[in-house]
Amino acid sequence: MSVSYSGVKVFSATKARDRESLGERITEWLDANSQTLEIVDTVVTQSSDREFHCLTITLFYRRR
């Protein structure tokens, strides 16, 4: 089954403080766009090297 979407929104943070507030940023964006967009899929990706840990949350959406 294929999920159709019309756009992608990417949230990413590398610093610990930014990673901690990532949920609030996503919630604010969802609240601001809930009337016009429907989330159809979500992908969470974590990557790291010796110094940095990156958290990326990708939201796939379609217009209502």
Side-chain angles (χ1 to χ4, degrees):
M1 182 177 141
S2 171
V3 176
S4 64
Y5 59 92
S6 58
V8 176
K9 179 68 174 175
V10 178
F11 295 89
S12 184
T14 303
K15 297 178 183 175
R17 184 172 302 187
D18 294 339
R19 289 192 309 268
E20 290 172 5
S21 65
L22 197 57
E24 287 94 16
R25 286 182 37 217
I26 294 170
T27 299
E28 289 172 5
W29 185 84
L30 289 170
D31 288 345
N33 293 285
S34 65
Q35 298 298 315
T36 58
L37 303 177
E38 174 187 7
I39 304 301
V40 295
D41 200 5
T42 304
V43 175
V44 178
T45 308
Q46 181 180 347
S47 61
S48 61
D49 60 16
R50 289 183 176 182
E51 294 183 45
F52 298 102
H53 304 288
C54 183
L55 176 61
T56 303
I57 299 176
T58 307
L59 303 178
F60 296 84
Y61 63 84
R62 65 175 157 234
R63 302 231 176 253
R64 292 186 189 264

